[in-house]
Amino acid sequence: MINFVAIYIYIRNMAIKCIGILTSGGDAPGMNAAIRAVTRTAIYNGLEVKGIYRGYRGLLTDEIIPFQTNNVSNIIQQGGTILKTARCQEFREPEGREQAYKVIQKEEIDALVVIGGDGSLSGARVFAQEYNFPIVGLPGTIDNDLYGTDTTIGYDTALNTIVEAIDKIRDTASSHERLFFIEVMGRDAGFLALNGAIAVGAEAAIIPEIWTEVDQLEELIKNGFRKTKNSSIVLVAESEITGGAIGMAERVKKEYPQYDVRVTILGHIQRGGSPTATDRILASRMGEAAITALMEDQRNVMIGIQNDNIVYVPFSKAIKKDKPINRDLLNTLRILSI
Ligand code: ADP
């Protein structure tokens, strides 16, 4: 019997000849490894690749060049993104996206691979729906806050950077009797703060997931913090609501003036550096999977990884902002910090 579905998919795939690739939003280590994997897998499968510079901005302004395999040579170990990244207000508006579509037609791009965080994938979703255009996303963010994937590209490197930095802070912290609040990234997600706290042997982590449930600072002090140690380290997720590490320190100074408090904000150091082996492998697998997905006629999906298996997650699920933290980790941290 003739398999009409297979024929349909075959014909559609014939239509995809050229893939555009861009990185958008906050940069993350491992994005280059992903760009390399997407480019090489596409070329391996006989497709053309075009590199789009500066995220959606470059799509609007036609900052696009053809990519060959050597455009992605010697980049797997580099942090940042060779395609640069940007935020683009115009792309949030229908007129901006219309301009982007015109450029896509002019450049004869048949499908896009977008590497970025939840904002970038939200943009991809809107555009894909508006123009019925094939897009596959890769989760590129140090925050690990995309639903449907165990980890995101850049998260492992950022976590290791945090651990390395805090190990150094601990050396000085333990020489004095001090309480250190160390602010890490993750405005909406406490993965870096919580896992970082376990990895450095910190006293506690103050994370967004449970802000509304408990007063984490009060709990920390109530639980006898610093009883047995002469210095303490607490990781705090950045936040406009709590004021992050500075907000915590100000509260302690006011409410518990007996403590000698210090604040360190790790800031952009967390985004930089050469990606870890874990991130390079993740990005390589996901990059390859993005092209496979497009060839299987998948669209409007993010590539995820679950239990070491590649999965396709619809954009609508990935960007819901409700990726749960593993609450067992809170308990582990509590037990180990006595
Ligand atoms: P990240 O991808 O790191 O979360 P942003 O939230 O800054 O970064 O998003 C990156 C870009 O994605 C924005 O500058 C904008 O161009 C685009 N974008 C984000 N959200 C939307 C949306 N709802 N509709 C259209 N474009 C969006």
Side-chain angles (χ1 to χ4, degrees):
M1 201 184 89
I2 302 169
N3 186 337
F4 288 106
V5 175
I7 291 171
Y8 170 74
I9 290 176
Y10 178 76
I11 291 168
R12 288 248 347 221
N13 287 346
M14 299 276 294
I16 295 183
K17 292 198 186 74
C18 176
I19 312 262
I21 175 169
L22 62 85
T23 49
S24 165
D27 60 307
M31 280 183 162
N32 282 328
I35 294 168
R36 171 181 179 270
V38 169
T39 302
R40 295 217 165 151
T41 309
I43 291 171
Y44 177 86
N45 285 290
L47 301 171
E48 255 180 83
V49 181
K50 290 193 173 174
I52 301 161
Y53 283 81
R54 295 180 179 77
Y56 295 124
R57 175 160 308 289
L59 201 54
L60 266 78
T61 56
D62 201 356
E63 256 194 282
I64 299 173
I65 63 163
F67 260 29
Q68 311 300 337
T69 54
N70 61 354
N71 287 91
V72 295
S73 295
N74 201 22
I75 64 167
I76 195 168
Q77 77 284 14
Q78 288 175 25
T81 158
I82 58 158
L83 283 174
K84 313 289 182 195
T85 181
R87 296 199 154 88
C88 176
Q89 196 54 36
E90 293 94 314
F91 196 76
R92 294 178 183 270
E93 309 300 330
E95 298 75 28
R97 293 193 293 274
E98 193 185 343
Q99 168 62 17
Y101 189 63
K102 280 186 190 149
V103 173
I104 278 181
Q105 285 178 308
K106 175 181 165 254
E107 291 283 347
E108 299 183 339
I109 291 170
D110 307 309
L112 280 180
V113 175
V114 170
I115 310 172
D118 78 314
S120 303
L121 299 189
S122 301
R125 182 186 180 210
V126 175
F127 186 79
Q129 279 174 348
E130 252 172 15
Y131 292 95
N132 188 25
F133 193 77
I135 307 187
V136 167
L138 294 186
T141 164
I142 63 166
D143 294 343
N144 197 29
D145 59 350
L146 287 161
Y147 184 88
T149 186
D150 293 343
T151 53
T152 55
I153 297 166
Y155 170 65
D156 184 68
T157 306
L159 194 55
N160 278 286
T161 302
I162 287 169
V163 169
E164 213 177 295
I166 298 181
D167 283 349
K168 293 193 171 110
I169 294 168
R170 179 183 285 288
D171 290 342
T172 164
S174 60
S175 307
H176 300 271
E177 301 205 337
R178 279 177 181 160
L179 167 58
F180 268 85
F181 286 114
I182 301 175
E183 184 173 300
V184 299
M185 287 187 172
R187 192 166 275 120
D188 304 306
F191 295 98
L192 287 173
L194 183 54
N195 286 292
I198 292 175
V200 301
E203 189 89 27
I206 295 182
I207 58 170
E209 284 83 350
I210 54 172
W211 275 331
T212 51
E213 292 173 29
V214 282
D215 184 335
Q216 296 173 78
L217 181 66
E218 217 165 274
E219 188 143 278
L220 169 72
I221 301 208
K222 192 180 73 203
N223 286 346
F225 111 103
R226 243 182 139 213
K227 252 188 205 149
T228 56
K229 300 179 203 129
N230 59 10
S231 72
S232 293
I233 289 179
V234 176
L235 272 69
V236 184
E238 65 181 336
S239 164
E240 274 139 31
I241 302 163
T242 66
I246 292 175
M248 290 299 135
E250 277 168 2
R251 268 191 67 190
V252 170
K253 277 184 202 155
K254 222 183 275 166
E255 296 169 34
Y256 310 96
Q258 66 273 32
Y259 296 126
D260 184 13
V261 191
R262 291 289 185 278
V263 168
T264 301
I265 296 172
L266 292 185
H268 283 84
I269 190 177
Q270 294 163 89
R271 287 196 188 284
S274 181
T276 58
T278 300
D279 269 333
R280 295 181 199 195
I281 294 165
L282 182 69
S284 299
R285 290 180 68 186
M286 286 182 161
E288 184 203 343
I291 297 300
T292 307
L294 284 170
M295 294 196 317
E296 284 174 2
D297 203 35
Q298 293 283 340
R299 43 173 68 205
N300 260 336
V301 294
M302 178 191 83
I303 305 297
I305 193 144
Q306 291 175 10
N307 299 322
D308 207 33
N309 293 312
I310 292 287
V311 292
Y312 301 149
V313 187
F315 282 152
S316 54
K317 273 196 178 164
I319 59 186
K320 267 203 328 216
K321 283 199 176 183
D322 62 352
K323 182 173 181 180
I325 48 153
N326 179 355
R327 285 182 178 245
D328 292 347
L329 296 176
L330 284 167
N331 210 30
T332 303
L333 179 59
R334 207 171 289 136
I335 292 168
L336 300 184
S337 65
I338 55 169

